[in-house]
Amino acid sequence: MHEVSDISDSETWVIRSTLTERYKEDIELQIADAEIRLRASDRETTSCPVWYWQKDDCHFIIFKTGTRQYRSQFFYRPYQQYGTGVHEYRDITECVVSLLQAQADHDAKERGEI
């Protein structure tokens, strides 16, 4: 079974700082675990630490899938899940900024602004 390293304080600091800069307020950031398949061919799931937060009616999640490896998505309802178009990031800053931008672009498109 693949072992995923724990979340570091510096990774969490990057996410918190980025969220505060984006929203101009403190956002409650939760840390949890999720069982996911790291590769499509995997038969077994792997426990991965995650960061989760909610803003208005949107939920955000970043999965730590390895050392300096991250996946992200946002969703409104379980059947409305969206990503950034990048399967995996090697930089937590790029991951969280891309996730926030993808969600902002999605909202603007839904409102007919782009």
Side-chain angles (χ1 to χ4, degrees), residues 15-16 19-20 22-23 25-31 50-62 73-78 96 99-100 103 107:
I15 295 171
R16 282 188 198 284
L19 294 178
T20 300
R22 165 71 169 86
Y23 297 116
E25 64 180 278
D26 287 334
I27 300 294
E28 181 183 354
L29 184 63
Q30 298 178 29
I31 296 174
V50 300
W51 294 271
Y52 166 85
W53 69 95
Q54 181 178 348
K55 178 65 177 159
D56 301 324
D57 62 344
C58 189
H59 307 265
F60 299 83
I61 191 163
I62 295 177
Q73 69 180 49
F74 64 96
F75 61 95
Y76 298 90
R77 292 178 179 73
V96 68
L99 179 62
L100 293 172
Q103 190 272 332
D107 275 4

Side-chain angles (χ1 to χ4, degrees):
M1 179 173 234
H2 184 76
E3 185 74 23
V4 178
S5 61
D6 287 334
I7 287 172
S8 73
D9 291 341
S10 62
E11 290 167 321
T12 300
W13 180 86
V14 167
I15 295 171
R16 282 188 198 284
S17 298
T18 305
L19 294 178
T20 300
E21 184 178 323
R22 165 71 169 86
Y23 297 116
K24 308 296 187 229
E25 64 180 278
D26 287 334
I27 300 294
E28 181 183 354
L29 184 63
Q30 298 178 29
I31 296 174
D33 289 305
E35 296 282 329
I36 66 170
R37 286 188 175 86
L38 294 178
R39 289 169 292 284
S41 62
D42 285 352
R43 297 187 131 203
E44 301 292 321
T45 58
T46 299
S47 180
C48 297
V50 300
W51 294 271
Y52 166 85
W53 69 95
Q54 181 178 348
K55 178 65 177 159
D56 301 324
D57 62 344
C58 189
H59 307 265
F60 299 83
I61 191 163
I62 295 177
F63 303 85
K64 183 171 183 178
T65 57
T67 303
R68 294 183 47 104
Q69 294 176 287
Y70 313 95
R71 296 180 191 170
S72 62
Q73 69 180 49
F74 64 96
F75 61 95
Y76 298 90
R77 292 178 179 73
Y79 61 88
Q80 291 179 304
Q81 297 179 15
Y82 306 94
T84 64
V86 175
H87 178 68
E88 202 160 71
Y89 292 91
R90 304 270 311 147
D91 180 82
I92 190 64
T93 302
E94 183 181 0
C95 181
V96 68
V97 168
S98 296
L99 179 62
L100 293 172
Q101 187 61 56
Q103 190 272 332
D105 291 348
H106 174 80
D107 275 4
K109 185 177 180 184
E110 289 293 307
R111 290 189 308 269
E113 296 172 6
I114 57 173

